[in-house]
Amino acid sequence: MTSTTRHVCDVAIVGAGPVGSLLAVVLRDLGLETVVVERDLAPYMLPRAAVMDDEIQQVFHAHGLGEQLRAITTPMRGADFAKPSGERILGIDLPEAGPLGFPPVVSHFQPELDAMVQRSAEARGATLLRGRTAMSLEQDDDVRLRLDDGSTVVSRWLVGCDGASSWTRRAMGLTLDDLGFDQQWLVLDMELSPDSTAVLPDVTRQVCDPVRPTTFVPGHARYRRWEFQVQPDDDVEQLASDAGIWNLLSPWITPRDARLVRSALYRFHAVVAPQWRAGNVFLAGDSCHQMPPFLGQGLNSGSRDAVNLAWKLALVHRGGAGDRLLDTYTTERLPHVRSTVEHAVDTGRLIDQLAGRQSHGIDHSAGYGGARPQPVLGPGVCVPGHPWVGHPMKFCPQLLPALAGKPLSFAIVSAGPVPTPASLSGLQVQHVLADADTMDRRHAIVVRPDRYVAAVADDDAGLEHAANLLVAAL
Ligand SMILES: Cc1cc2nc3c(=O)[nH]c(=O)nc-3n(C[C@H](O)[C@H](O)[C@H](O)COP(=O)(O)OP(=O)(O)OC[C@H]3O[C@@H](n4cnc5c(N)ncnc54)[C@H](O)[C@@H]3O)c2cc1C
């Protein structure tokens, strides 16, 4: 049946996967009218992502979803690369709480997570149009999206969160750069039976097996994930058959221990779109970057996109910044995600290398617990010059309690009263007093609405200067 319904909103989102739904949550919390169009009637029931890092846990907590998240996640105890015997080659044991106060990594069952975030978006008043497919798109001052039932969504902005084969990306003629990784893996999700006596690692493990590199992930509750690298001489049909699967699992478990939740053959690859914006249309999540899962950073990266874009759309919507602020979405996120994708590729190659299959010249810094520097935001709303700038507040976690409960806005953290720089006066800046020890002799720290550090100043003049530079980007 053809509909003539016309939905009008500030932001239309194509795709209610985890990234689109989280974007809707954050936008609603910032007061923007949001319509999400989703092709499927129910959340995608097969798991892909298995772990979430502490930065994204903090986002859930900041938006009042902390307790719901805790109920569906399990802290990860560690991660390593090991010989087939189980002997650790390199790795890390994870503490109960990391610098942000949350477990550094938690495991989850993605269908539960996706359903929770979708429900939360709707509970906040986002309109979720399920069972509708985006069909055509036009933009001038507005973006007009036509759906398969004939209805339209008219919005100021549209964000394509429609996954790896993104319709939005293709509709806008945006492309993907291939960063050169292509491996086929068989991914198995299992649920252990309550009476299973199988003895399995309690850490994520890359088994550097010269015959067949294998990944094991201890999932939430009784879920466990295995990933087996497909070899050139494999009969793929046989490998993925019931008999093939149980043969692969035989060193670990038997059919008495677990049921198969699903099996899927995936091509793990590494691609990044060089441009994430076309006019008032943006891409986020898998639609603009995909990476092999060895770091568990695909969904985490998409969540970072959502948080980065949301506060900028909200600020432009309120008249606190001009349209060019929205260009910083790509300039900040693209180098960050590119570095994450390259790291994930190196982690994958390190597995092969440590298995003695092929040397790629990758050093151990690409492994878990390795010394690879954290990715940093590219140029945008940050004043470089201090190591904390362009990073989440992991590097100054002592400031987080002082910011807890503050609304999403810019904040100036200082040990004593500091004047609001004139250039920031239109921005609803929060002042947060921290004790002198916490500030560690720093005069003032400017924190962005997404809780990334924007600037660190040594005195009032430095703060004024930093504020001028920040405002120039808005
Ligand atoms: C084996 C594997 C393991 C992984 N492990 C991890 C991990 O541990 N941690 C991690 O962070 N990431 C991991 N990932 C990556 C993670 O699963 C993805 O990054 C994440 O699911 C992407 O979310 P998304 O919302 O961008 O896209 P999707 O989840 O693909 O959602 C896109 C949505 O858009 C809808 N849609 C598409 N086209 C249209 C249209 N035309 N109209 C309307 N709706 C449309 C779809 O129905 C879908 O609901 C893993 C991936 C794989 C394959």
Side-chain angles (χ1 to χ4, degrees):
M1 194 169 46
T2 303
S3 161
T4 53
T5 310
R6 188 169 180 268
H7 304 269
V8 179
C9 60
D10 301 314
V11 184
I13 299 173
V14 181
V19 173
S21 301
L22 180 63
L23 178 62
V25 165
V26 182
L27 287 171
R28 287 301 300 141
D29 283 351
L30 292 168
L32 275 74
E33 292 301 328
T34 306
V35 172
V36 191
V37 178
E38 170 53 50
R39 189 177 52 194
D40 293 339
L41 287 170
Y44 188 62
M45 277 320 290
L46 297 176
R48 289 168 294 161
V51 299
M52 181 188 285
D53 66 25
D54 51 351
E55 183 186 337
I56 304 308
Q57 292 169 60
Q58 197 216 342
V59 170
F60 278 72
H61 281 261
H63 289 274
L65 300 175
E67 285 318 307
Q68 290 185 59
L69 183 70
R70 238 193 280 271
I72 57 168
T73 54
T74 304
M76 186 70 74
R77 305 279 299 275
D80 61 22
F81 287 55
K83 295 181 180 169
S85 64
E87 185 191 334
R88 181 178 275 193
I89 305 169
L90 61 92
I92 182 168
D93 293 318
L94 295 171
E96 273 176 33
L100 290 176
F102 307 109
V105 181
V106 291
S107 57
H108 58 80
F109 186 62
Q110 192 181 352
E112 274 177 0
L113 179 75
D114 292 0
M116 185 266 268
V117 188
Q118 261 191 23
R119 276 196 310 273
S120 305
E122 286 188 287
R124 283 163 166 73
T127 302
L128 183 44
L129 303 175
R130 288 192 178 82
R132 320 277 172 86
T133 301
M135 298 296 284
S136 71
L137 191 163
E138 291 167 8
Q139 59 170 323
D140 37 51
D141 287 347
D142 291 327
V143 184
R144 288 176 304 285
L145 180 69
R146 226 171 55 78
L147 309 184
D148 56 348
D149 65 351
S151 60
T152 49
V153 183
V154 181
S155 58
R156 181 165 178 192
W157 297 293
L158 180 143
V159 188
C161 301
D162 44 357
S165 54
S166 172
W167 172 85
T168 310
R169 188 183 66 232
R170 285 179 282 116
M172 298 316 299
L174 298 173
T175 54
L176 294 171
D177 285 346
D178 191 335
L179 304 193
F181 187 87
D182 182 21
Q183 289 184 358
Q184 192 175 31
W185 286 64
L186 177 65
V187 179
L188 306 178
D189 278 300
M190 312 296 297
E191 187 178 24
L192 292 177
S193 57
D195 54 359
S196 166
T197 53
V199 179
L200 296 169
D202 60 359
V203 298
T204 292
R205 174 153 296 166
Q206 301 297 347
V207 183
C208 302
D209 181 345
V211 178
R212 187 183 303 282
T214 300
T215 304
F216 171 78
V217 184
H220 172 57
R222 294 200 307 274
Y223 295 109
R224 301 292 179 270
R225 155 90 44 93
W226 279 267
E227 295 169 5
F228 296 95
Q229 193 188 79
V230 176
Q231 303 304 307
D233 55 353
D234 278 331
D235 173 343
V236 177
E237 207 173 306
Q238 200 286 324
L239 193 77
S241 69
D242 226 37
I245 285 171
W246 284 108
N247 181 45
L248 288 168
L249 289 171
S250 60
W252 306 77
I253 52 171
T254 71
R256 280 192 306 281
D257 289 306
R259 79 176 175 94
L260 176 66
V261 178
R262 69 104 181 229
S263 75
L265 281 160
Y266 273 108
R267 289 217 87 85
F268 292 165
H269 54 183
V271 291
V272 180
Q275 191 49 254
W276 299 13
R277 176 179 192 186
N280 286 327
V281 176
F282 300 83
L283 300 177
D286 273 20
S287 68
C288 54
H289 47 75
Q290 295 142 46
M291 62 191 84
F294 308 114
L295 281 184
Q297 275 296 323
L299 174 49
N300 285 303
S301 299
S303 304
R304 281 185 194 97
D305 301 342
V307 175
N308 186 296
L309 182 58
W311 72 266
K312 294 173 179 173
L313 292 174
L315 196 57
V316 176
H317 176 71
R318 283 208 305 264
D323 178 83
R324 69 188 163 160
L325 173 64
L326 303 178
D327 286 333
T328 68
Y329 168 57
T330 311
T331 57
E332 288 187 345
R333 285 291 306 138
L334 179 58
H336 190 287
V337 91
R338 214 183 148 100
S339 143
T340 306
V341 175
E342 286 166 357
H343 187 172
V345 165
D346 285 353
T347 304
R349 293 195 167 133
L350 186 61
I351 303 169
D352 269 337
Q353 190 174 299
L354 292 175
R357 292 162 57 89
Q358 194 176 351
S359 175
H360 296 280
I362 310 279
D363 66 50
H364 284 197
S365 71
Y368 302 137
R372 276 275 167 117
Q374 295 286 320
V376 62
L377 292 181
V381 193
C382 283
V383 181
H386 188 281
W388 291 353
V389 170
H391 291 285
M393 295 182 64
K394 286 190 189 189
F395 300 88
C396 42
Q398 63 275 38
L399 297 178
L400 274 171
L403 283 166
K406 299 279 186 279
L408 287 177
S409 63
F410 279 90
I412 297 176
V413 185
S414 57
V418 292
T420 303
S423 52
L424 293 183
S425 59
L427 276 183
Q428 299 178 331
V429 177
Q430 304 282 319
H431 281 268
V432 176
L433 285 183
D435 59 44
D437 283 350
T438 300
M439 291 303 293
D440 195 20
R441 291 187 303 283
R442 290 170 195 94
H443 181 67
I445 297 166
V446 184
V447 180
R448 310 177 353 156
D450 56 5
R451 297 296 176 250
Y452 272 65
V453 176
V456 177
D458 291 334
D459 50 30
D460 278 350
L463 180 59
E464 189 78 44
H465 179 63
N468 290 340
L469 292 174
L470 290 174
V471 168
L474 301 182

